[in-house]
Structures are given as structure tokens and as C-alpha cells.
Amino acid sequence: SIAPLTLLSHDQARCLDGSPGGYYWQPSTLPNPYEAGWVLHLQGGGECTVESSCRSRLTTTLGSSRYFSATFTPYAVASADPALMPLTHAWHHVFLPYCSADLWSGTVVHGRWNMSFAGHEILAAVVADLNRRSDLGHVPSQPVVLTGDSAGGIGVWTNVDWLQTMLPQARVIGAPLAGFYAFAYPYTGPRFVERGEDFRKAAWASHVDLWHSYLPVACVAALGPHDAPACMLSNYSAPFVAAPMFVIEAQTDSVQLTAHEWMPHSAADAQPGSPMFAYMVEWQANQSMGLSATLKPLDGWFRPACFIHTEFYSSSPTIGNESYATAYTRWLRGVLGSTAEEAVRVEDACGIL
């Protein structure tokens, strides 16, 4: 279950420091590999938009492949554990380590501060490399799941329809984990803490300019050039995403609320009647409206009423008798079998509401 590192030789597929991007490929264990689908996982790890923050990444795995491990074991939706992922455990699993700090959107090498923001180019190079080395993209109707967590979850929304155009014979499916984002409207009540990269609406044009971001084509066509930076975030791009999507997202996402919405970490213990509690109720309601308004009728979700970010496991959180993994597997069976008659949408009706 351990996958070896492959470093890329493509000129544009560069980490922040200019070192080559890479990937870990765990081949299918099925007797006939042509019966196998693929799961590609985009790793998370935040983003950077100011020089000091970007520079601090250069001596870590989040900015340089010089620090990548020689092997890696894919996890979550890309797991090879049959107990966790009974439908896809024997498929090909590809883990893409995150070293570009651009939410998997960048297309520039040796850009500002002589740093490379090339996450989209790394994904493109991995797909091209696997297309050359394997059957990826060569088997009609082959299922290819693009998943990722946090920044990688954001990257799923940006890249999933692009991936379909790169693999026209395949059937591309999206499963973002902790990647459903909207513009930030920060909390400014008692004990607010200004922190994190700026996710307010006015900031996104400069982020897209810094990263030379690839933006989803259908979204840009619909919103126009002035509002195109909004296409970086799923709350605005989701109505134009063609791929089937399964969203794994906490109703009160702890990283969004603390890093981008300026709430204190103690917000998890906010009491009814307090400004923090009122803010979280409104934030949760806005997320619910965003998902309901933007997803397609057969798109699914798993939404616990938890103050977590990417901490989704087989045993917790659960809703009724389902975990994110069982709900996703049930949804995927319907999508692949073309038997889905209604969306698999599992969510808590408790918590702070």
C-alpha cells in the first residue's frame, strides 16, 4: 500500500522554489487493470499571497520537493483500505503532494519574488505522465475520481472539468473534502483575531494575478472577466461544474471560521445568545443555501454539524449509522451504476441550529 515518489521532468511543473513537482502512484491490484478506475488526490496545505508567508514555505514540503518523502500511503477517498473504500480500494491511487501554495491553480514559473506558482501545471504534468505510462485516459468510460482535502478540495472544483477535457474517454467525478468555500465576510465581534490569508472579495483579483491562476472555463464565460476571480471558489463556480460532485464538508468548518473569518479558536464553545454563536448560525445557514443553490440534482454531500476541517475518519464523525466514507461509497455506486434516482445527501439536523 506504499507508493513510490516520481519526480516530474516537465519544465512548467515546479514547486514554489523551482524544484520539480511530483506524485506517488499506487497501481491497481485488480487482476485485469483495465477494469480499474483511478483516484487522484490533491494534497492540502493552505496558500500564500505575501512574500514572507511564501518564503517561509521554501524549506518545507509545502514549497519544495527536496523535502518530499521517498514513499507515501494515500488516504481518505484515495485509500486502499477495503474497509474504508470498498468500491475503489483496488483502483489506481495517485497522491499529488502540494508544493505550489496556489490552491492548485497556478500556471507561472519564476514569477513574483522569483517563486513558481504552478499547481495547475503540476496536475497537468502528472496527468500527461500517467497517460504515457499507463492506461489512464485510454479506456472508454473509465472512472477517474479527482479528490483532495482543504486547499486540494478547492483545487478539485477548479480543475475537475478541465480534467475531463484532458481525458475525453474517461468519466471524471469530483469528491472535494473541506473545499467548499465562499468569499470571507469576517467576524468582527468580541475577541475577533485578524489572521490568515485574505479571502474577502476584494482580495481575490490580486491572488489570481499573483498565481496566474487557471480558472474554470464555463464559470469565467458565465461571470465575465470582471468577476472571473470568483471562479476560484466553489460557491460561485459550482453552478457551472459539469462533473458529478460529492461534497464532504463540516457545517462549521473550523479552518474557514478561524483562519479566514477571524473567529477565535474558542468559538467551538460559543454559547447561544453570544455574538460568536449568532455569527456561526448565519455562516452555517449561508453554506447550506450555497450548496442547495449551486449543486446539481444528483450531486451529494456529507455534512456533519461539527467544528472540524479535514478530520473525517471511518468512525467519526458519523450521522446516523453513516460516515463520510459510507455515504460517498453509496453515492458513487449510484453514479457508476447509473442507478441514482435521488441525491445521497447526509447531514445533521442538530448542532448549532
Side-chain angles (χ1 to χ4, degrees), residues 251-286:
Q251 292 180 31
T252 45
D253 185 300
S254 59
V255 166
Q256 292 194 51
L257 285 166
T258 58
H260 304 301
E261 305 287 9
W262 302 357
M263 300 197 78
H265 292 289
S266 60
D269 300 318
Q271 297 300 308
S274 69
M276 282 192 289
F277 189 91
Y279 181 91
M280 284 200 289
V281 169
E282 185 175 3
W283 195 91
Q284 180 197 37
N286 288 337

Side-chain angles (χ1 to χ4, degrees), residues 97-123:
Y98 180 47
C99 63
S100 54
D102 55 8
L103 306 176
W104 291 98
S105 71
T107 64
V108 62
V109 174
H110 305 308
R112 203 174 307 170
W113 315 311
N114 199 32
M115 295 184 204
S116 298
F117 302 95
H120 176 74
E121 297 292 345
I122 290 171
L123 173 59

